[in-house]
Amino acid sequence: MTKIPASKDPALLQGRRPRLVVIGNGMAGMRTVEELLTRAPGKYDITVFGAEPRVNYNRIMLSPLLSGEKNFDDIVINGQDWYEENGITLQSGDPVVDIDRANKTVTAESGLAVSYDRLLLATGSMPIVIPIAGKDLPGVVTFRDVDDVDVMLKAAESGGRAVVIGGGLLGLEAAVGLQARGMKVTVLHLAGHVMERQLDASAGYLLQQELGRRGIEVITEADTREITGDEHVTGVWLKDGRHLDASLVVMAVGIRPNGWLADRAGLSVERGIVVDDFMTTSDPAVKAVGECVQHRGQCYGLVAPLFEMAKSCADHLAELESDGYPGSVTSTKLKVTGVDVFSAGDFSGGDEVEEIVFRDAGRGIYKRIVLEEGRIKGAVLYGDTADGAWYFQMLKDATDVGELRDTLAFGQAFAGGSVGNPRDAVAALPDDAEICGCNGICKGTIVAAINEQGLSSLDDVRAHTKASASCGSCSGLVENLLAVTLGGEFEADAAKPICPCTDHDHDTVRRLIKAQGLKSMAAVMQALEWKTADGCHSCRPALNYYLLAAWPGDYVDHGASRFINERVHANIQKDGTYSVVPRMWGGLTNPKELRALADVADKFDIPTMKVTGGQRIDLLGVKKEDLPAVWADLNAAGMVSGHAYGKSLRTVKTCVGQEWCRFGTQMSMSMGVELEQMTWGSWMPHKFKMAVSGCPRNCAEATIKDFGVIATEGGWDLHVGGNGGMHVRATELLCKVKTREEVKEYCCAFIQLYREEARYLERTAPWIERVGLKHVQERVVDDADNRAALYVRFLKSQETSQRDPWAERVKESVDAHEFSFLQAAE
Amino acid sequence: MTELLNWVDLGPVDNIPLQGARTYQTETDRIAVFRTVDGEVFALVDRCPHKDGPLAQGIVHGHFVTCPLHNMVFSLETGEAQGAEDGCARKVESRIVDGKVRIGLTSSQMGAINAG
Ligand SMILES: Cc1cc2nc3c(=O)[nH]c(=O)nc-3n(C[C@H](O)[C@H](O)[C@H](O)COP(=O)(O)OP(=O)(O)OC[C@H]3O[C@@H](n4cnc5c(N)ncnc54)[C@H](O)[C@@H]3O)c2cc1C
Ligand code: SF4
Ligand code: SF4
Ligand code: FES
């Protein structure tokens, strides 16, 4: 047990806080800082250098970032405010290029030099690039950071084929991600089966077959000779003479501890930077953690051991007694949705060992457990990994499994005699069973945190214990623990699925539609594993909307997935008749229109005519079979559908404004007409209403509309998020603008943001309450570029949507079957 | 006692849209004839047992239809309401013969035809 004697600390001698400089703003470095802050807050004056121009994020989540299951904000671990709150100086985008150990300073690329009392190296690894011709061509990338993902996403936009060199964990995650982004993917792998370091040949074979089913080609024993291309990669030559075309080549053949900086500074570096159990290098003032180190001869490439190193390093920096880091046994899981692979320990076999193999070809399950002297030495699970944690625990504890031997392959539920209920299984685990592998957190710690700190949600547990905060594959276990500990009080707070047909929530489905380029209802249901043949009345209209919003002009509307009102463009009433509401732009009408309405009402015996709350005239009691004729007459008078039935733009209510009113400061009627002509026909998550008032007296009641405009002396106040429904809500002020053009641009941008972000059947009021007005302002008001982009996207989708649905049904016989009865054949 | 049915030919199945429905008016009732995603045809009396909603106007999913008035879901196979609600829409026998839809009507439904 070594301890740095405080008396020798130069900083303390000078009466200031000691300076800690951290090189590397990645997972191990920042975890060490976090651990240090909990042990000894304010002890050091901390400066962090990061080569990447961003805050600290969860590198494990690059795969979901690539596939589109997450976006960058979701994977940030510590945002800018964390550095500020903890008084940490972050120099991001500025790599350290030199360490002067004699003078205890580091110098960054920018020339910035900072002195330290303690230095922490956490420089991670460098991806290995095989030294072949063409390796430096544009379009050849590694898979290590956000910049790499950006290159891949850009390449994926234009489709084509990606060749991934390397069929290990990273290569396969890259392959699946790129395939989800719409590329054709071929994986080249040197060994005889994929993930050969984690899987045996049988499990590797099953995995390769599964990848094949998903359309990912794997070529094993493929040795790459050369990458071709002049200005950009065009393909790959194999040593056996085969050539593959490619517009993107990803090299994922392995990593090498990043120790050059340490090496240049004269520290002891072998494969990695050599450290002792307290993470101290050959220089007592310099420590190192993470993938860059070599500890007891081992280098690690997974986060669990790095986090253990971080603890031990933090103990030491905080000058706490500790036993030091003893090294780790690791386990691996592949993070590919729907593919369950687990491996731990040594499963290479041999004479001394005994193996238990379990295969269920029908269900695609393979398990192999390697025993040595009655103890688990390694395990490979494919297809059913639920018991991975259990085997791994027994492996680490070197539990004698002699008595369980016969039923070991059937898993814990069988061995423990308990039923196959996940909650019971969790309840049966001992307190020291590890739940979160990445962070090394065991059941007892989580249960104690839940009880003592009153935690009640997955997010709470993540925030307080870090369990499930890294790769997330133990979230289910943690939720079960919450349920077991809290009993009836617990409700899983995971985003709610759209409906029982799917496990996905609205936001995920929307993201995946875009990310995976899904362009039809059938494609969505297939790719996202819908549980019913063709959905239900809840998910189908939502999907139809999401597809329409994602691919304007491209996606063909699916009538059978629309509610009857939108299918026939009239409102169904309680007696099965319909009501029809033509547009009256901005609430204006004229004698010709009124005469046409009166004539139609006479001709078709329409019993009721009513002025609506949105300044239009409603014709109630129309028989369905009369609808086309009613529309034809209204169309002839120049009137079009008012979408009074749709999740779409409804009305734009106006006051008489400066055109007539003695108080009016701006022309509200013409403003209303222009807004309506610009936005009609646009499908939305829910109905959408607008109003324009000509002065702050607000006679058009613009402050209870989804988008309200109120004229002032100097311009226009723009209001959003009002609702006159069951829960009345007044608008909030979005911003003030000067010109009519601005009113229109902001209006479209706001609508487009709502269209792209709100969930189906969520009106603007609950949407804004959920995301916050600030979120909307940041995107529509503060960010002019984003506003312009939203505006353009809105106008683009309007190009194809401003067609009068009544005219389509009358003149083009769209959905003609709707309006006639079946007849008996003679 | 099972009643003898009169089979009425309603023309090619293609006249009914997939995941949709059309109606046929008999002497006594309107019949909703549904065509499901897997190409099967079912028929119910076009009246929801809740508040008389026109079932043919609902969204058809799997072998179910959701009433357009208050979203009650009914099995097309049996007419029974799903979930907590109870109630049963009246089932009408149907079959496809040589690509044509036939429904089996009772004598009272045939009404005028028999009389005429
Ligand atoms: C796509 C992907 C998926 C992964 N999935 C998993 C998984 O599922 N489970 C798992 O356990 N592990 C996974 N890993 C591995 C895991 O991310 C790493 O083990 C972990 O991030 C290593 O942490 P680190 O701090 O040592 O290095 P890093 O997180 O890489 O941090 C090192 C940082 O140091 C910076 N740096 C380097 N040199 C300098 C310099 N001279 N000056 C300043 N800054 C410098 C680098 O820019 C980098 O940001 C995955 C890795 C990748 C790339
Ligand atoms: S809001 Fe102002 S301009 Fe409009 S009618 Fe009322 S008083 Fe007149
Ligand atoms: S408020 Fe709307 S839904 Fe309710 S009765 Fe009136 S018209 Fe019908
Ligand atoms: S009338 Fe069918 S659900 Fe109410």
Side-chain angles (χ1 to χ4, degrees), chain A residues 533-537 540-541 558 560-564 567 572-574 576 578 624 817-818 820-825, chain B residues 8-10 15-19 22-24 30 33 37 51 54 56-62 66 68-69 71 73:
Chain A
D534 60 341
C536 72
H537 65 274
R540 282 230 312 262
H558 190 240
S561 295
R562 283 186 179 273
F563 186 61
I564 181 67
R567 227 156 59 219
I572 193 164
Q573 301 297 343
K574 63 181 236 174
Y578 290 80
K624 190 178 178 190
H817 62 82
E818 285 280 358
S820 65
F821 296 113
L822 283 171
Q823 299 296 329
Chain B
V8 179
D9 179 351
L10 297 182
N15 285 348
I16 306 170
L18 271 183
Q19 296 171 288
R22 293 189 66 184
T23 53
Y24 173 70
R30 204 168 54 222
V33 189
V37 70
K51 295 203 166 167
Q57 314 301 317
I59 290 182
V60 177
H61 48 99
T66 300
L69 292 198
N71 283 341
V73 179

Side-chain angles (χ1 to χ4, degrees), chain A residues 170-228:
Chain A
L170 280 192
L172 295 185
E173 287 185 10
V176 170
L178 288 168
Q179 204 242 4
R181 292 289 185 174
M183 294 191 89
K184 277 196 61 184
V185 183
T186 301
V187 177
L188 302 180
H189 191 56
L190 192 56
H193 66 267
V194 293
M195 284 177 69
E196 81 283 1
R197 296 236 303 271
Q198 291 87 14
L199 300 183
D200 60 9
S202 298
Y205 167 80
L206 287 172
L207 177 56
Q208 185 169 337
Q209 281 206 318
E210 171 61 30
L211 293 169
R213 267 194 296 280
R214 293 172 175 224
I216 296 173
E217 182 189 18
V218 179
I219 306 180
T220 50
E221 293 173 10
D223 200 353
T224 314
R225 188 181 78 204
E226 180 185 338
I227 297 172
T228 55

Side-chain angles (χ1 to χ4, degrees), chain A residues 694-772:
Chain A
C695 85
R697 285 177 180 73
N698 189 15
C699 293
E701 296 161 344
T703 45
I704 50 161
K705 299 298 179 206
D706 295 282
F707 189 80
V709 181
I710 297 177
T712 58
E713 266 320 319
W716 307 84
D717 286 357
L718 306 183
H719 289 259
V720 294
N723 190 347
M726 284 204 281
H727 304 285
V728 181
R729 182 180 195 267
T731 50
E732 291 176 89
L733 181 66
L734 178 71
C735 63
K736 295 167 173 291
V737 297
K738 290 254 171 330
T739 66
R740 296 173 72 87
E741 284 317 307
E742 284 172 308
V743 174
K744 292 203 266 180
E745 182 183 338
Y746 281 71
C747 173
C748 292
F750 173 75
I751 291 180
Q752 186 64 14
L753 187 72
Y754 169 59
R755 297 185 58 198
E756 290 177 6
E757 292 194 351
R759 298 168 188 160
Y760 190 65
L761 296 189
E762 183 173 50
R763 281 199 69 179
T764 56
W767 169 59
I768 289 179
E769 280 174 8
R770 179 164 66 80
V771 301

Side-chain angles (χ1 to χ4, degrees), chain A residues 654-666 668 692-701 710-711:
Chain A
T654 59
C655 74
V656 296
Q658 198 188 20
E659 286 99 331
W660 288 96
C661 177
R662 63 202 163 100
F663 299 111
T665 61
Q666 309 272 3
S668 56
V692 188
S693 287
C695 85
R697 285 177 180 73
N698 189 15
C699 293
E701 296 161 344
I710 297 177

Side-chain angles (χ1 to χ4, degrees), chain A residues 304-351:
Chain A
L306 315 186
F307 289 173
E308 289 176 39
M309 295 178 194
K311 281 190 190 149
S312 149
C313 185
D315 281 342
H316 209 240
L317 285 169
E319 292 171 20
L320 300 173
E321 295 274 327
S322 85
D323 295 338
Y325 169 66
S328 311
V329 190
T330 55
S331 67
T332 318
K333 265 183 153 181
L334 181 66
K335 305 188 300 297
V336 170
T337 319
V339 181
D340 293 323
V341 181
F342 174 90
S343 109
D346 178 1
F347 47 82
S348 51
D351 291 344

